């Protein structure tokens, strides 16, 4: 990157910063200001074997005559993103800059990719002191080792009159840092006395692709790469107000940035887990020091605006952040321009350094960088549709920052432009006031499409959520190792004679990673209790961030657990904390009859009281049924389900915000003592759960939740495989019950079975469609879809009937709810799917519709518990941009996952 004579902003060591308190400003030698902000520590032991330093490789474009510039196809050092820069920051390319690249893994060259325009967004002192270059936005390429560049006119030929000093920057993000956890200790940053760096020399750009003409950013995995983070915030267990007080902002003079660090302010809103600069591997080779406003008055929503970002896995978001920082360094910014960045999976990243809980001035909206917080969403939302997780992530940051200053997310604010009209797209004359919503889009103040045609209309939803109770709620997660990709839990309660076990299969860029499996029993290190026959440990599992550290924690039910007082089958629930899953707690029933309670027959997790940490709900099937909700800090709510003392059966629970009030609710399915399926609704609120009612719609054997009709309310999906329990057709059915502001309604309720138009096959007695259900959006159309198992489906192949071979149906969501149109059936006889159907395989014994690769589309995992004589398997089918990747499917058996013989792998899956 280009370097200038400036003060380099570098972190102090842990020992040197121990004496400085947060918010302090002291004078060092020669009157140098020492900034006291916050940073995580970095341990040399974190350096991973085989790690690769981040680097920027610069190649000068060739002069092709008449001002034409380009670069012929050539091999290069490894890179993952690319941008063009040129000497004059006010110049623009004539025509369209485009790039091709060679994929490192396959050796194939890509099609031509456009490099989008990216106006310089810094202003004030940062813009004045920076020796800036003009440039494009960076385009993510993935791992590549070859490049070709052209700038073409409208006629498709090389365009004349290109700016001087044109080069291509190849950005290698290096490898992700190895982090042990969430470091949040306060720290100080010192401005060394008169430390200087070489001045930029644009003409010194070498043509040799193996040469790097600028120093590589600090290795993100080494101990000298500690970066700014936030200072401590009020405890998450406080009860913040549901809405921040509204404020009226009078017009004010043009804001003046300050070198003085303001004191951090507490927020009335729980701080969401944020991936710090150290955790995503930011470089600390800053071009200057942070500047500060006096407060936060508004939030500016952006998108990165690059098509290739729509193809990123959330597992690559950290690497993408590093390339965006490299891009902004190349453009002359002090650091990455955005204050925060989010991705489609709901991950929140610290952007610009200087203190997340301080009003750091960004470089994201020229003229309006001071006293605003800039939040960018990875992707181009002119074409892509924003995810619910991404929108909620933006809302949580907005609410937390606004909670420090009493800003109403639904209010208005008057801001004053700090830059000239027309400067880098600024629409407002310097010194002129403009009244805006407190949450506005970049295009409201700049001549840009940002944040995109599909994200801009969602600003109202961001405002709504930021003002609701949901702003304080724990982020739903199934990512126990916090790598950006959800992980799968397979419960095998029948394993080893009913001892039970749970096998965790991490997700990865290419789907499940069986080589990194984690096998757990009650005999595993750190797991409470001990393994005993009949415990059925793993009969139910759930993911949720119980301790609020950003890692998914695992709740495991053991309905056959006996207590030490002689109460047989009292049951228990174990909670294990991610990422290590070797610490946690275990608890049993309270206030209900202990013997035979079988607590842990069903478990689910969600933030029922919206305090920033997930709570655990469990149900027991003994003595008429019982329920237990364990809240943050150990507070417990309990009760019975029916007035009977006879056992209930087939308990299953799902969490969702069915009335859209910001509190997670629970829907519990069970078969009562009279043999009738029931569903009971437990409503979340500030005090936890309240048992509201039992629905008129009958229950079945499985239950799931998600927004099937896309209206913002979670809907309930009930699997009803049997007529006697549910009034279902003889082969079973799936029923969707819409959520509303007042709860559930039968208006708009839809039921799908195999005689429904568009559904493959035919209704046949005993198929047991609905024995398992799962909800997720497999095609990214904004409507949650439903995967339903029919494990007793008979399938004929080669004129031979395979009874109970099993099948699964992928049912599509729509604006009118669940529909049979376009339904896809998947079995082991489906073309491209591994394996073959066999009698009593029972494919569909459990199903999961979960994104296990991080690309946003949910993948199919089908439990087949009867395969191989009851050993069981998991069948994985990925989704892709054209539908299902049936030929890319994979089978995971006891050979890959290490489950015991006869464990019935595939009986239970979470999520």
């Amino acid at each position: 990157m280009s370097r200038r004579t400036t003060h380099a902003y570098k972190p102090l060591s842990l020992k040197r910063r121990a004496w400085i308190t947060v918010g302090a400003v002291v004078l060092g030698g020669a009157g140098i200001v020492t900034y006291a902000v916050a940073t995580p520590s970095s341990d040399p032991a974190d350096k991973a074997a085989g790690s690769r330093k981040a680097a920027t490789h610069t190649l000068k474009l060739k002069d092709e005559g008449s001002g034409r510039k380009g670069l012929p196809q050539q091999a290069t050092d490894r890179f993952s993103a690319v941008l063009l820069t040129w000497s004059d920051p006010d110049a623009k390319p004539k025509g369209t800059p485009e790039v091709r690249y060679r994929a490192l893994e396959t050796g194939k060259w890509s099609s031509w990719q456009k490099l989008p325009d990216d106006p310089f967004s810094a202003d004030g002192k940062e813009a004045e002191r920076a020796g800036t270059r003009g440039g494009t936005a960076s385009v993510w390429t993935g791992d590549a080792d070859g490049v070709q560049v052209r700038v073409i006119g409208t006629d498709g030929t090389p365009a004349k009159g290109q700016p001087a000093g044109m080069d291509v920057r190849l950005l290698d993000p290096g490898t992700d840092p190895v982090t042990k956890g969430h470091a949040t200790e306060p720290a100080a940053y010192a401005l060394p006395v008169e430390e200087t760096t070489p001045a930029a020399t644009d003409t010194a750009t070498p043509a040799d692709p193996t040469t790097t003409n600028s120093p590589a950013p600090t290795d993100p995995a080494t101990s000298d790469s500690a970066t700014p983070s936030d200072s401590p915030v009020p405890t998450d267990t406080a009860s913040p107000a549901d809405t921040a007080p509204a404020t009226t902002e009078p017009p004010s003079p043009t804001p003046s940035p300050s070198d003085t660090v303001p004191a951090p302010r507490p927020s009335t809103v729980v701080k969401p887990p944020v991936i710090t600069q150290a955790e995503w591997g930011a470089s600390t080779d800053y071009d200057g020091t942070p500047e500060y406003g006096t407060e936060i008055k508004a939030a500016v929503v952006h998108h990165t605006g690059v098509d290739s970002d729509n193809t990123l896995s959330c597992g690559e978001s950290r690497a993408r952040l590093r390339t965006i920082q490299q891009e902004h360094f190349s453009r002359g910014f002090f650091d990455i321009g955005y204050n925060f960045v989010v991705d489609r999976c709901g991950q929140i990243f610290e952007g610009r350094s200087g203190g997340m809980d301080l009003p750091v001035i960004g470089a994201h909206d020229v003229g309006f960088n001071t006293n605003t917080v800039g939040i960018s969403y990875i992707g181009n939302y002119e074409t892509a549709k924003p995810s619910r997780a991404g929108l909620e992530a933006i809302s949580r940051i907005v609410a937390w920052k606004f909670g420090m200053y009493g800003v109403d997310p639904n209010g208005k604010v008057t801001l004053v432009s700090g830059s000239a009209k027309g400067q880098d797209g600024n629409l407002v004359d310097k010194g002129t006031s403009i009244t805006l919503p407190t949450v506005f889009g970049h295009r409201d103040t700049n001549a840009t499409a940002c944040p995109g045609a599909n994200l801009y209309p969602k600003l109202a939803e961001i405002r709504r959520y930021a003002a609701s109770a949901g702003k304080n709620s724990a982020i739903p997660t199934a990512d126990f190792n916090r790598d950006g990709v959800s992980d799968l839990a397979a419960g095998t309660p029948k394993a080893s004679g009913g001892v039970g076990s749970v096998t965790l299969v991490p997700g990865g860029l290419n789907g499940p990673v069986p080589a990194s499996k984690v096998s757990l029993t009650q005999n595993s290190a750190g797991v409470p209790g001990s393994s005993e026959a009949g415990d059925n440990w793993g009969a139910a599992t759930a993911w949720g961030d119980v301790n609020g550290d950003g890692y998914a924690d695992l709740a495991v039910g053991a309905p056959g657990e006996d207590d030490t007082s002689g109460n047989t089958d009292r049951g228990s629930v174990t909670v294990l904390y991610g990422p290590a899953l070797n610490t946690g707690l275990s608890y049993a029933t309270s206030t209900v009859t202990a013997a035979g309670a079988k607590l842990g027959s069903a478990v689910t997790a969600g933030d029922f009281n919206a305090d920033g940490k997930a709570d655990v709900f469990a149900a027991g099937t003994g003595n008429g049924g019982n329920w237990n909700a364990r809240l943050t800090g150990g507070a417990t709510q309990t009760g019975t389900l029916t007035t009977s003392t006879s056992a209930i059966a087939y308990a299953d629970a799902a969490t969702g915000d069915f009335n859209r009030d910001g509190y997670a609710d629970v829907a519990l399915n069970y078969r009562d003592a009279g043999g009738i399926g029931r569903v009971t609704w437990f409503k979340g609120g500030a005090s936890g759960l309240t048992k509201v009612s039992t629905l008129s719609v009958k229950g079945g054997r499985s239950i799931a939740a998600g927004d099937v009709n896309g209206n913002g309310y979670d809907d309930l999906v009930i699997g009803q495989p049997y007529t006697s329990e549910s009034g279902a057709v003889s082969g079973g059915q799936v029923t969707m019950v819409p959520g509303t502001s007042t709860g559930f309604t039968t208006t708009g309720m839809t039921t799908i079975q195999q005689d429904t138009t568009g559904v493959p096959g035919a209704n046949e007695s005993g198929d047991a469609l609905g024995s398992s259900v799962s909800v997720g959006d497999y095609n990214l159309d904004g409507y949650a879809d439903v995967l339903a198992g029919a494990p007793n489906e008979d399938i004929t192949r080669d004129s031979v009937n395979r009874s109970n071979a099993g099948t699964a149906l992928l049912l599509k969501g729509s604006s009118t709810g669940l529909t049979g149109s376009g339904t896809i059936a998947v079995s082991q006889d489906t073309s491209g799917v591994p394996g073959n159907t066999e009698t009593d395989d029972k494919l569909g014994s459990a199903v999961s519709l979960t994104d296990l690769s991080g690309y946003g589309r949910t993948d199919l995992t089908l439990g087949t518990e009867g395969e191989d004589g009851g050993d069981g398997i998991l069948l994985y089918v990925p989704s892709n941009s054209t539908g299902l990747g049936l030929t890319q499917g994979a089978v995971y058996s006891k050979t890959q996952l290490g489950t015991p013989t006869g464990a019935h792998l595939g009986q239970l899956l979470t999520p």
Side-chain angles (χ1 to χ4, degrees):
M1 70 187 183
S2 300
R3 304 295 299 157
R4 293 161 297 285
T5 300
T6 181
H7 294 295
Y9 175 62
K10 291 186 179 293
L12 294 175
S13 69
L14 185 62
K15 289 182 180 178
R16 290 181 62 199
R17 54 188 163 88
W19 59 272
I20 302 180
T21 58
V22 173
V25 179
V26 298
L27 291 178
I32 300 299
V33 177
T34 298
Y35 296 93
V37 292
T39 184
S41 64
S42 185
D43 188 334
D46 285 346
K47 187 174 177 67
S51 64
R52 190 179 75 257
K53 292 183 178 182
T56 299
H57 309 291
T58 304
L59 303 178
K60 187 176 181 179
L61 267 60
K62 305 289 186 181
D63 188 347
E64 299 175 344
S66 301
R68 299 182 181 91
K69 300 290 178 69
L71 190 71
Q73 193 175 101
Q74 61 187 266
T76 67
D77 283 338
R78 180 174 181 165
F79 64 95
S80 293
V82 59
L83 78 153
L84 257 57
T85 75
W86 48 88
S87 300
D88 183 356
D90 296 322
K92 296 291 182 184
K94 305 297 191 295
T96 302
E98 295 184 339
V99 64
R100 294 178 68 206
Y101 53 89
R102 185 175 65 189
L104 179 66
E105 182 177 356
T106 65
K108 294 181 179 179
W109 285 86
S110 73
S111 59
W112 286 103
Q113 309 289 315
K114 293 181 180 179
L115 291 166
D117 181 42
D118 186 23
F120 187 73
S121 297
D123 51 19
K125 292 183 179 179
E126 182 173 7
E128 291 171 4
R129 72 165 182 260
T132 61
R133 291 177 62 82
T136 67
S138 64
V139 168
W140 179 261
T141 61
D143 290 338
D145 64 356
V147 71
Q148 182 179 1
V149 181
R150 69 183 185 184
V151 185
I152 60 170
T154 55
D155 61 356
T157 63
K160 300 178 181 180
Q162 301 307 327
M166 247 185 170
D167 60 33
V168 58
R169 307 289 174 102
L170 308 178
L171 310 178
D172 178 6
T175 51
D176 284 351
V178 177
T179 57
K180 294 180 179 178
H182 222 186
T184 57
E185 72 272 19
Y189 278 73
L191 191 60
V193 178
E194 297 303 320
E195 180 173 341
T196 62
T197 53
T201 54
D202 293 333
T203 59
T205 306
D208 179 1
T210 64
T211 301
T212 300
N213 81 325
S214 57
T218 303
D219 179 1
T222 59
S223 62
D224 63 354
S225 62
T227 57
S229 178
D230 62 309
S231 52
V233 296
T235 176
D236 288 354
T237 57
S239 299
D242 283 352
T243 57
T247 59
T248 301
E249 293 288 347
S252 57
T254 302
S256 298
S258 172
D259 288 335
T260 302
V261 185
R265 298 183 58 162
S267 179
T268 58
V269 176
V270 171
K271 180 195 168 198
V274 179
I275 297 169
T276 65
Q277 277 207 351
E279 289 172 322
W280 59 259
S283 169
T284 59
D285 199 8
Y286 304 115
D287 288 339
T289 58
E291 295 176 314
Y292 299 89
T294 57
E295 60 184 316
I296 293 297
K297 294 184 175 183
V300 189
V301 178
H302 303 262
H303 68 163
T304 58
V306 180
D307 286 339
S308 59
D309 284 350
N310 296 340
T311 67
L312 275 173
S313 165
C314 295
E316 297 173 304
S317 292
R318 296 179 191 222
R320 180 59 174 137
L321 260 290
R322 296 195 294 276
T323 64
I324 292 174
Q325 187 192 41
Q326 290 170 310
E327 169 199 337
H328 289 185
F329 280 157
S330 296
R331 299 291 308 284
F333 292 6
F334 146 62
D335 189 5
I336 188 170
Y338 308 118
N339 298 104
F340 294 91
V341 179
V342 306
D343 67 14
R344 72 168 75 87
C345 296
Q347 295 187 105
I348 303 172
F349 300 89
E350 177 186 15
R352 175 160 289 208
S353 55
M356 284 188 281
D357 56 353
L358 299 175
V360 178
I361 296 174
H364 57 89
D365 187 9
V366 64
F368 298 92
N369 286 312
T370 302
N371 294 337
T372 64
V373 56
I375 307 169
S376 187
Y377 190 163
I378 296 175
N380 181 0
Y381 294 96
E382 279 290 296
T383 53
K385 293 184 178 181
S387 70
R388 176 170 167 177
L391 295 175
E392 290 182 359
I394 296 172
S395 298
R396 293 172 197 276
I397 285 295
V398 167
W400 179 58
K401 294 294 288 185
F402 281 12
M404 299 174 188
Y405 299 97
V407 179
D408 179 5
N410 287 310
K412 298 284 186 179
V413 63
T414 299
L415 301 176
V416 178
S417 174
S419 295
K421 184 176 181 179
Q423 179 181 332
D424 296 310
N426 183 23
L427 296 175
V428 185
D429 283 319
K430 186 174 182 178
T432 300
S433 298
I434 181 174
T435 300
L436 298 160
T438 53
V439 180
F440 64 91
H442 190 196
R443 77 185 203 185
D444 290 323
T445 57
N446 196 278
T448 176
C450 179
N454 294 325
L455 180 53
Y456 188 81
K458 296 295 184 180
L459 296 184
E461 171 58 18
I462 290 171
R463 298 181 192 112
R464 184 202 69 80
Y465 193 88
S468 77
K471 65 181 180 288
N472 289 304
S473 62
I475 297 176
T477 178
D479 183 5
F480 82 89
N481 55 10
R482 209 181 186 198
D483 65 352
V485 183
S486 293
D487 308 311
L488 189 69
T492 46
K494 295 179 180 179
S496 306
V499 168
S501 64
V502 177
T503 303
L504 308 181
V505 187
L509 299 185
N510 297 310
V513 187
S516 299
K517 70 181 185 301
V518 178
S519 300
L520 297 171
T521 71
Q522 284 184 289
N523 284 341
S524 298
V527 176
S530 59
S531 294
E532 299 163 329
D535 283 352
N536 297 131
W537 196 78
T541 54
W543 291 113
D545 185 6
V546 175
N547 57 3
D549 65 354
Y551 294 89
D553 308 311
L554 181 68
V556 183
E561 182 81 29
D562 302 340
D563 68 14
T564 56
S565 301
N567 292 307
T568 303
D569 292 343
R570 182 177 183 179
S572 70
V573 176
T574 300
V575 177
L576 300 172
Y577 299 126
L581 301 170
N582 59 7
T583 59
L585 56 92
S586 182
Y587 59 93
T589 58
S590 57
T591 76
V592 299
T593 302
K598 294 194 172 185
L599 185 70
S601 299
V603 296
T604 191
D607 195 351
F608 310 137
N609 56 1
D611 67 350
K613 297 180 181 180
D615 312 302
V616 179
F617 175 92
T621 56
N623 311 320
N626 59 87
W627 64 277
N628 179 299
R630 183 181 175 88
L631 307 177
T632 301
T636 303
Q637 298 173 304
T638 65
T640 57
L641 293 173
T642 71
T643 57
S644 172
T645 58
S646 298
I648 63 173
Y650 304 113
D652 193 18
T655 301
D657 188 2
F658 303 118
N659 58 355
R660 205 184 181 207
D661 64 355
Y663 299 99
D665 309 315
V666 171
L668 176 66
N669 175 89
Y670 59 91
R671 190 183 70 183
D672 68 16
I676 303 300
R678 306 292 183 188
V679 176
T680 298
W681 175 32
F682 296 83
K683 181 181 177 182
S687 300
L689 287 180
T690 301
K691 182 182 175 184
V692 179
S693 62
T694 297
L695 276 59
S696 60
V697 180
K698 291 183 179 179
R701 295 287 179 96
S702 61
I703 200 165
D707 188 5
V708 177
N709 56 16
N711 67 354
Y713 295 86
D714 282 329
D715 307 309
L716 195 60
V717 176
I718 308 169
Q720 300 167 315
Y722 298 110
T723 304
S724 60
E725 299 170 358
S726 310
V729 296
S730 59
Q733 63 191 33
V734 176
T735 295
M736 186 216 84
V737 185
T740 72
S741 60
T742 57
F744 297 106
T745 179
T746 56
T747 301
M749 184 173 75
T750 53
T751 296
I752 306 295
Q753 42 104 345
Q754 285 186 287
D755 280 345
T756 301
T757 301
V759 178
N763 177 62
E764 298 167 326
S765 180
D767 284 348
L769 174 64
S771 293
S772 58
V773 291
S774 184
V775 174
D777 186 359
Y778 95 98
N779 56 3
L780 283 183
D781 65 353
Y783 302 103
D785 308 302
V786 175
L787 183 61
N792 294 348
E793 174 89 8
D794 296 348
I795 295 178
T796 298
R797 186 182 76 249
D798 300 330
S799 302
V800 178
N801 180 58
R802 274 81 173 172
S803 62
N804 301 331
T807 193
L809 298 179
L810 181 58
L811 310 170
K812 296 184 179 180
S814 71
S815 61
T816 57
L818 204 57
T819 176
S821 178
T823 296
I824 302 170
V826 179
S827 76
Q828 285 187 288
D829 278 352
T830 301
S831 178
V833 172
N836 295 291
T837 55
E838 299 168 326
T839 296
D840 292 329
D841 277 351
K842 290 187 176 292
L843 182 144
S845 50
V847 294
S848 175
L849 198 51
T850 302
D851 180 9
L852 297 176
S853 54
Y855 293 99
R857 302 176 181 85
T858 54
D859 306 313
L860 283 61
T861 306
L862 309 175
T864 311
E865 67 165 309
E867 181 84 21
D868 296 335
D871 291 346
I873 62 169
L874 304 181
L875 173 61
Y876 169 74
V877 177
S879 58
N880 54 44
S881 59
T882 59
L884 296 181
L886 297 172
T887 59
Q888 286 80 50
V891 171
Y892 307 113
S893 68
K894 70 174 186 177
T895 302
Q896 291 86 8
L897 301 184
T899 49
T901 298
H904 286 260
L905 175 65
Q907 180 184 352
L908 295 159
L909 294 173
T910 300

